[in-house]
Amino acid sequence: MAKLSPSRQKAIMRKYSDNVKYLMMAASICLIVFTLPKQAKFRYEYDRGRIWTQKDLLSPYNFAILKTSPEIENDQQAALRSVVPVYQLDSDMGQAQQEGFKNDFEIKWHDAGINDRKKQSYLLEGESLLKEVYDKGILSLNPKYQQSQQNYPITILNKNVATDRNTADVYTKEKAVAYCNQQLSNRKDIDKTFLLDLIQNRLQNNLRYDDKLTSRLEKEVLEGLSQTRGMVQKGEVIVAKGSVINDAIYQKLESFKKAFEDNARVNGDRRLVLLGQFLLVSIVICLLVVFLYLFRRDIYDDNRLVCLILLVVTAMLASLSLAIRLQLPNLYYIPYCIVPIIIRILFDTRLALNIHILVILVAGFFVPNSFEFAYFEITAGMVSIYSIKNLIRREQFLISAVIITFGYFLSFLGISFIREGSLTTIDWMDFVPFVVSVLLTLLAYPLIYLFEKVFAITSDITLIELTNTNAPLLRELAFTAPGTFQHSLQVANLAENAIFSIGGNALLVRAGALYHDIGKLENPLYFIENQSPGFNPHDKLSYEESAQIIIRHVSKGIEMARKANLPEIVVDFIRTHHGNTRVDYFYQSFLKNFPEKFVNENIFRYPGPIPYSKETGVLMLADSVEAASRSLREPDEKSISDLVDRIVRYKLNQDQLKDSNITLKDIETIKTIFKRMLMSIYHVRMDY
């Protein structure tokens, strides 16, 4: 089979990229719909303390009113109190202990020093007491049943014959010892200490608590409890328009909702429910892709990025579905804000907000009190996006978490005031799920790192790491080519301030500026900023050779950047920072010294391409302006202003900025910033 060339492979990929995109959309829709709970959606939203603003709600059929959780709990406790614990009688225990008493008596009698004539009376008295105690029964009290008083009723089973007794009518070991002690105290002719010690050693429980049987009785009682109280008849008014939803009405609505869902589960068509979910999810996914097509065409054309976005959306909705299936106590435990944070860091603010709203719209169909849910999560998502608009430091994640928590708290207070109308009745434990959700949101940090590696995306966090001057390439640049390193720092400051003013990614510009000249590491002394006074290696080279060495720092920089695994978005700055301009010094020198020779202009021209974003365009201007400013002999306000105007005008005349999306207004802003900063660098006193 013939092997396709790389260009042919790319052509095929471009041809079928839309088909791949549609396939990913279909897969995402199917996965989301597959995981969502398949049940009909109850159409009414309600809560305690609200006013019913809709028309009178009439019951379409008979249904039972469910008991509240406290009512069920009270019934269960009352039912459990009615269960009498069961004790099994060990009928052989008494006889065995009496035989053991006789043996112990015979062994210890010889050493007791008591008159042998009293032996029989001692033996009879001990046997009599043991028989009396075991006939009555010995047990250990169970604290579980000692609620209001020490003793409690019990059922004694003797060979499956049940007898109702009370623990007051039987002995514990302590009570048995006390009884024997009292009886022996009345016998003056008996050594109480000797006999009581023997009896005490032979007191064992002959009534054993039967936990298994008692638990079975408790289970049967609980299973027999009714979960309902009363009925609502067909046609009866459940709630009238304008009524305040009190506890009784709220419970009727809850019961109606349960009856509706049960009825829909039995009589409803699951295929129509599935179709409804498919339509709703399809609309959301299509709106998302349309947004990408209209406003972020760069992402739309990259199936790798589309796959990442669909993966994040699908994973969040699948997590919600899993939480519903597991019957999580509160669905606010789920970190919904993790989606806008990930999208904001990896892409931009508009896309993050758009995706977050679409995710919450779908989730709202499957959570209780969907309007309140939407308010909580949309506002929290907006807060999370705004709080990390410019990610410069890692601790901004923690600061963002605190701000999101505060936003949740204000929303929680506002909704609680509307519900309760009182501060004292607010259950502050209801706020705990929001705190847990914010803590789980911090998982965005490792997830961003994972997505960066898997999908080859460069986030602001990576750019922060790249701009650290202790990075290997920058450290080598500072050591090998200190002049170039200082030039790069100045360019970074100029470009960063300019892009911040006209709108753009300041972190990206700074990273690109720091690395744009790393190709000069190959031959640092061939660049004027690294040369010592009186020494110029270009003096020994032809103009063409000198131009090629200068131009080669671009291709060499690209090679070094890729070897160091720098992101392609940073490599773009190296590739475009000279565009396709000429190395004019050597070009003009060649024309001046060899006017009769034919000159191939391409020898003196950078390969390009020209800048194709605001960020790369601003870097080109900052690089040229900073390099040219070093040639000023006496920098003052006029010379710096003329220099900046001349450099910018030259780049415009050479069509270097036509693809960079920089407006004329942006150009004026950039020029103003460059002039002000260069005057500050060269300590020029401005005229006022």
Side-chain angles (χ1 to χ4, degrees):
M1 183 181 291
K3 186 177 180 180
L4 295 175
S5 65
S7 60
R8 180 60 178 163
Q9 292 176 7
K10 291 181 180 179
I12 293 174
M13 288 297 293
R14 284 195 298 271
K15 180 179 179 181
Y16 294 104
S17 63
D18 282 344
N19 293 339
V20 173
K21 193 179 285 84
Y22 300 145
L23 183 62
M24 290 190 298
M25 290 171 60
S28 177
I29 293 169
C30 292
L31 283 173
I32 293 172
V33 172
F34 174 77
T35 58
L36 290 176
K38 304 299 182 291
Q39 62 183 43
K41 173 68 176 176
F42 190 62
R43 59 176 296 188
Y44 301 104
E45 293 286 338
Y46 55 90
D47 205 349
R48 290 184 179 89
R50 285 187 182 179
I51 296 176
W52 185 263
T53 57
Q54 304 184 57
K55 64 181 182 180
D56 292 357
L57 179 59
L58 304 179
S59 174
Y61 37 70
N62 298 338
F63 66 88
I65 302 174
L66 300 173
K67 292 179 180 177
T68 64
S69 296
E71 287 175 335
I72 293 175
E73 187 176 348
N74 290 335
D75 288 350
Q76 289 176 342
Q77 290 177 355
L80 291 176
R81 286 195 297 269
S82 69
V83 175
V84 177
V86 177
Y87 284 78
Q88 295 282 358
L89 174 64
D90 186 350
S91 56
D92 297 328
M93 177 66 73
Q95 185 63 37
Q97 293 301 326
Q98 289 186 58
E99 292 296 328
F101 169 77
K102 290 179 182 179
N103 294 333
D104 294 344
F105 183 85
E106 291 294 340
I107 293 171
K108 293 187 177 183
W109 176 259
H110 300 292
D111 299 328
I114 304 174
N115 193 329
D116 286 342
R117 286 181 297 176
K118 296 182 178 182
K119 180 178 179 181
Q120 192 62 28
S121 62
Y122 271 76
L123 182 60
L124 292 175
E125 182 65 24
E127 290 179 339
S128 175
L129 286 174
L130 281 173
K131 185 176 185 307
E132 185 177 349
V133 167
Y134 278 107
D135 286 347
K136 202 169 186 181
I138 306 174
L139 53 70
S140 295
L141 294 175
N142 193 327
K144 175 182 176 181
Y145 301 101
Q146 292 178 294
Q147 301 296 329
S148 57
Q149 54 187 358
Q150 184 177 3
N151 293 304
Y152 51 88
I154 61 175
T155 296
I156 298 177
L157 280 182
N158 183 13
K159 298 178 181 178
N160 293 328
V161 177
T163 306
D164 292 332
R165 301 277 294 277
N166 192 289
T167 56
D169 301 328
V170 296
Y171 291 112
T172 62
K173 289 183 181 180
E174 294 76 13
K175 287 172 63 177
V177 170
Y179 174 75
C180 294
N181 182 58
Q182 180 184 6
Q183 294 299 315
L184 292 174
S185 296
N186 297 329
R187 294 288 301 272
K188 303 300 182 182
D189 58 330
I190 289 179
D191 184 349
K192 181 179 70 174
T193 303
F194 168 74
L195 197 55
L196 185 62
D197 183 57
L198 291 174
I199 293 173
Q200 187 172 344
N201 291 336
R202 288 299 168 178
L203 292 177
Q204 300 292 331
N205 293 339
N206 66 336
L207 295 175
R208 178 179 52 81
Y209 173 64
D210 193 333
D211 181 64
K212 185 176 180 180
L213 181 55
T214 305
S215 297
R216 191 174 72 186
L217 293 175
E218 290 175 344
K219 182 179 178 181
E220 291 174 356
V221 169
L222 293 177
E223 289 175 349
L225 289 176
S226 173
Q227 302 292 311
T228 63
R229 51 169 175 81
M231 294 284 294
V232 172
Q233 302 298 323
K234 181 179 180 180
E236 183 179 337
V237 176
I238 300 174
V239 56
K241 182 177 181 179
S243 300
V244 176
I245 301 178
N246 55 26
D247 290 341
I249 295 176
Y250 178 82
Q251 197 58 29
K252 285 184 180 180
L253 289 169
E254 285 284 282
S255 304
F256 179 44
K257 179 181 179 181
K258 178 68 166 53
F260 169 83
E261 291 175 349
D262 290 343
N263 186 61
R265 193 177 298 112
V266 174
N267 301 319
D269 192 337
R270 287 175 57 86
R271 292 173 297 180
L272 292 179
V273 174
L274 186 66
L275 177 60
Q277 291 180 347
F278 182 82
L279 291 175
L280 293 175
V281 175
S282 298
I283 291 172
V284 166
I285 298 298
C286 289
L287 284 174
L288 172 57
V289 175
V290 168
F291 175 86
L292 296 176
Y293 180 81
L294 295 177
F295 302 105
R296 288 301 305 269
R297 192 62 183 265
D298 56 324
I299 298 176
Y300 177 85
D301 292 335
D302 192 336
N303 284 340
R304 173 177 49 90
L305 301 182
V306 174
C307 177
L308 168 59
I309 292 171
L310 292 176
L311 176 63
V312 172
V313 172
T314 304
M316 174 49 65
L317 292 175
S319 298
L320 172 64
S321 302
L322 179 62
I324 294 173
R325 292 177 185 276
L326 296 177
Q327 297 182 343
L328 206 66
N330 194 314
L331 294 178
Y332 288 110
Y333 282 113
I334 301 173
Y336 301 97
C337 289
I338 203 170
V339 171
I341 288 177
I342 290 175
I343 301 300
R344 166 62 194 88
I345 298 299
L346 296 179
F347 299 102
D348 62 38
T349 299
R350 286 190 306 165
L351 181 58
L353 183 58
N354 187 280
I355 289 177
H356 182 59
I357 291 175
L358 292 177
V359 168
I360 296 304
L361 285 177
V362 174
F365 280 98
F366 304 96
V367 298
N369 298 321
S370 55
F371 176 79
E372 289 182 4
F373 169 81
Y375 184 86
F376 271 125
E377 299 307 333
I378 290 177
T379 55
M382 295 172 73
V383 169
S384 66
I385 293 170
Y386 301 158
S387 63
I388 54 173
K389 180 179 182 296
N390 294 307
L391 184 64
I392 301 175
R393 299 178 304 275
R394 297 172 188 269
E395 59 264 27
Q396 282 185 252
F397 272 109
L398 294 176
I399 296 172
S400 177
V402 173
I403 296 174
I404 295 170
T405 305
F406 184 68
Y408 269 134
F409 182 72
L410 292 180
S411 300
F412 177 78
L413 272 184
I415 291 177
S416 297
F417 287 157
I418 292 174
R419 281 183 183 176
E420 311 290 343
S422 170
L423 184 63
T424 57
T425 57
I426 296 177
D427 186 357
W428 297 105
M429 290 302 296
D430 289 343
F431 187 67
V432 172
F434 295 102
V435 177
V436 175
S437 173
V438 174
L439 293 176
L440 292 175
T441 300
L442 295 177
L443 291 173
Y445 191 86
L447 286 176
I448 289 169
Y449 176 80
L450 177 64
F451 289 142
E452 281 189 276
K453 296 303 179 184
V454 173
F455 292 93
I457 299 175
T458 304
S459 72
D460 287 352
I461 300 172
T462 299
L463 293 176
I464 291 172
E465 295 171 348
L466 290 175
T467 54
N468 184 349
T469 53
N470 285 318
L473 268 180
L474 296 182
R475 194 165 58 244
E476 183 181 356
L477 184 66
F479 180 77
T480 307
T484 300
F485 180 70
Q486 290 301 319
H487 161 71
S488 298
L489 288 176
Q490 296 288 15
V491 171
N493 292 333
L494 289 170
E496 186 176 21
N497 280 276
I499 200 67
F500 185 82
S501 298
I502 68 173
N505 192 331
L507 261 179
L508 176 60
V509 168
R510 185 166 191 84
L514 290 174
Y515 288 92
H516 80 284
D517 269 346
I518 58 172
K520 294 180 180 180
L521 282 169
E522 183 183 34
N523 294 302
L525 295 180
Y526 283 85
F527 299 88
I528 190 169
E529 65 267 21
N530 300 311
Q531 294 172 1
S532 302
F535 172 75
N536 189 345
H538 289 287
D539 294 340
K540 300 178 180 180
L541 301 175
S542 66
Y543 297 122
E544 297 97 318
E545 290 174 326
S546 293
Q548 285 301 303
I549 289 175
I550 298 299
I551 291 171
R552 192 163 62 240
H553 88 274
V554 173
S555 58
K556 188 61 180 178
I558 295 172
E559 179 185 334
M560 295 174 68
R562 286 176 172 164
K563 187 176 180 180
N565 293 319
L566 292 186
E568 278 298 313
I569 197 170
V570 175
V571 176
D572 288 341
F573 287 87
I574 303 173
R575 184 185 294 112
T576 62
H577 75 279
H578 284 296
N580 54 15
T581 57
R582 290 192 305 261
V583 186
D584 268 340
Y585 175 80
F586 295 111
Y587 177 69
Q588 297 298 336
S589 297
F590 182 90
L591 292 179
K592 182 179 179 181
N593 289 281
F594 303 101
E596 74 286 354
K597 285 189 176 182
F598 171 77
V599 57
N600 182 2
E601 189 176 314
N602 290 331
I603 296 176
F604 297 91
R605 189 175 292 277
Y606 286 97
I610 63 175
Y612 42 82
S613 67
K614 274 188 177 183
E615 289 81 3
T616 52
V618 167
L619 175 68
M620 168 183 273
L621 295 176
D623 179 43
S624 299
V625 165
E626 203 285 331
S629 69
R630 293 172 179 262
S631 65
L632 293 174
R633 295 183 179 179
E634 295 182 4
D636 55 22
E637 182 177 358
K638 185 177 185 310
S639 63
I640 289 175
S641 180
D642 291 344
L643 173 72
V644 172
D645 289 338
R646 185 174 70 254
I647 294 294
V648 173
R649 185 168 55 252
Y650 174 78
K651 298 298 183 185
L652 289 172
N653 291 338
Q654 292 290 315
D655 291 331
Q656 297 299 301
L657 301 176
K658 65 179 182 180
D659 294 337
S660 61
N661 198 29
I662 297 178
T663 65
L664 291 176
K665 182 180 179 181
D666 293 337
I667 291 291
E668 293 303 316
T669 303
I670 292 168
K671 286 161 60 176
T672 301
I673 291 171
F674 284 174
K675 292 173 184 179
R676 186 177 69 246
M677 292 187 67
L678 287 173
M679 290 178 191
S680 177
I681 291 170
Y682 292 107
H683 308 291
V684 175
R685 183 180 295 276
M686 298 178 64
D687 294 331
Y688 295 100

